[in-house]
Amino acid sequence: MQIILGANGQIATELARTLHQHHTGDLRLVSRNPRKVNQDDTVMAANLLDAGQTTEAVKGSRIVYFTAGLPPDSTLREEKFPVMLKNALQACRIAGASFAYFDNTYMYPQNSQIQTEETPFAPVGRKGRVRAAMASMVLEEMGRGEIPVLIARAPEFYGPGKTQSFTNTLIIDRLKAGKRPLVPVRDDTRRTLIWTPDASRGLATLGNAPDAYGQTWHLPCCGDRPTYKTFVDMASRIFGRTSSYSVIGKWPLILAGIFSKQVREIRELLPRYEQDNLFDSTKFKRRFPEFSVTIYEEGLDLIRKEWRDE
């Protein structure tokens, strides 16, 4: 049996689809309020903050994927995320299950250097420090060698459905609504974005490859790194919209944080948009050369078709 902990988000939903299609028909989805993705999924309600419930949810598992998310609230993440992860790791040790941890890049330096699996952690802000502490906890578990453990790391998302990211919220969703896209901070820095179904397929691929354990992996991204100007032009053309956008400067966003908690929560991420974001997934591509990575034009066209079919 393969189990997804934190089963309602976009990554988990796509992960359930690809696991069912390519790897296993024995799939359990676990969250507070789990919903089936495939007809024959098993669902189980559990609070990952409760060690006993987490242990019960993981019983009988062969591979466990940790894709749990929390709202962008720093205090909430500091209090809850490490507890959830600790409980999940403990449950896997008890069950003797392999553990695949889905991670992001918040702990990396906010500069223009190429990011590889060997990039040292240099977190900026509370969210970055939480993710660095969690990744370190997983690395420590990996080092103990009691259970097979891997880390699968992804940069910022773009994608279909309810994908949550700056790019979807400020550009794709606004284009869909007929509004002018908004570009955070600068339009001339190069971005590495990952198509959410590719992130989920990549995570499933790693989880089912025994030799992938004991390592950190960057999930596969398109090798192109467009600027936001190029990305908006591309999306506007594919969606049949006028290519026009506004850049929201760093200081207006910082000032807006005085009045909005939601904006305050994202301020520590803004330096990431002042620099090129060069996330490298060469290691994954060399190990899995048959994996087909979605190019930006293809991904945007799939979103366009999704809108058309709604």
Side-chain angles (χ1 to χ4, degrees):
M1 178 185 292
Q2 301 195 30
I3 293 176
I4 302 174
L5 297 179
N8 287 344
Q10 186 72 18
I11 293 297
T13 298
E14 297 286 353
L15 176 61
R17 290 194 184 107
T18 196
L19 286 173
H20 185 268
Q21 184 175 358
H22 298 291
H23 300 285
T24 181
D26 192 5
L27 190 60
R28 179 186 295 163
L29 310 184
V30 179
S31 68
R32 284 178 177 267
N33 299 289
R35 300 183 298 271
K36 286 187 176 185
V37 175
N38 311 289
Q39 187 174 359
D40 52 356
D41 290 343
T42 300
V43 296
M44 184 173 181
N47 180 357
L48 300 184
L49 291 167
D50 185 295
Q53 291 185 31
T54 307
T55 298
E56 191 65 27
V58 168
K59 269 186 182 177
S61 61
R62 184 172 66 88
I63 302 171
V64 173
Y65 303 87
F66 187 91
T67 62
L70 286 171
D73 181 302
S74 294
T75 300
L76 192 69
R77 292 184 176 197
E78 289 167 344
E79 292 175 351
K80 296 187 175 182
F81 248 153
V83 177
M84 295 162 66
L85 179 58
K86 179 182 177 181
N87 289 342
L89 288 167
Q90 177 180 301
C92 287
R93 286 195 297 272
I94 293 170
S98 300
F99 185 78
Y101 176 62
F102 182 73
D103 201 6
N104 65 25
T105 62
Y106 285 8
M107 76 293 295
Y108 282 164
Q110 296 187 354
N111 59 32
S112 60
Q113 299 299 307
I114 293 177
Q115 298 169 352
T116 72
E117 290 85 353
E118 304 304 318
T119 295
F121 297 169
V124 175
R126 295 169 69 185
K127 292 180 187 62
R129 287 192 289 271
V130 169
R131 296 305 304 207
M134 292 172 69
S136 296
M137 190 188 305
V138 178
L139 288 170
E140 288 170 7
E141 187 71 39
M142 191 186 295
R144 277 194 288 270
E146 294 181 20
I147 56 172
V149 175
L150 68 82
I151 295 174
R153 188 165 289 142
E156 184 182 336
F157 306 147
Y158 82 107
K162 297 179 180 178
T163 296
Q164 296 182 2
S165 69
F166 269 32
T167 300
N168 264 66
T169 299
L170 297 180
I171 296 174
I172 293 171
D173 294 347
R174 289 182 66 87
L175 282 170
K176 179 181 180 181
K179 298 178 181 179
R180 181 193 294 263
L182 302 174
V183 170
V185 186
R186 291 178 61 165
D187 67 351
D188 60 347
T189 55
R190 294 191 292 159
R191 319 307 309 160
T192 307
L193 305 173
I194 191 167
W195 176 245
T196 48
D198 283 1
S200 298
R201 286 195 301 120
L203 179 57
T205 298
L206 290 169
N208 286 276
D211 66 321
Y213 288 88
Q215 302 179 63
T216 296
W217 298 83
H218 278 187
L219 289 165
C221 302
C222 178
D224 295 337
R225 297 183 176 112
T227 64
Y228 265 134
K229 181 182 186 307
T230 300
F231 187 86
V232 172
D233 288 345
M234 189 189 314
S236 299
R237 171 175 52 80
I238 290 171
F239 298 159
R241 302 286 198 265
T242 300
S243 183
S244 177
Y245 61 91
S246 299
V247 177
I248 313 175
K250 178 180 176 181
W251 289 109
L253 283 168
I254 290 174
L255 291 172
I258 297 172
F259 307 102
S260 167
K261 183 177 186 299
Q262 185 178 14
V263 175
R264 284 198 300 276
E265 288 293 342
I266 65 172
R267 283 187 300 186
E268 71 184 59
L269 305 178
L270 295 181
R272 297 156 60 92
Y273 296 89
E274 293 181 296
Q275 310 283 343
D276 290 341
N277 178 243
L278 309 178
F279 180 90
D280 183 85
S281 52
T282 301
K283 177 181 174 179
F284 183 101
K285 293 172 182 175
R286 285 177 176 165
R287 168 60 184 84
F288 304 100
E290 73 285 356
F291 190 100
S292 177
V293 177
T294 304
I295 63 172
Y296 290 103
E297 290 88 346
E298 181 184 357
L300 291 168
D301 192 53
L302 288 168
I303 293 173
R304 179 189 65 81
K305 292 174 179 175
E306 179 184 60
W307 294 354
R308 182 193 63 195
D309 296 338
E310 287 180 352

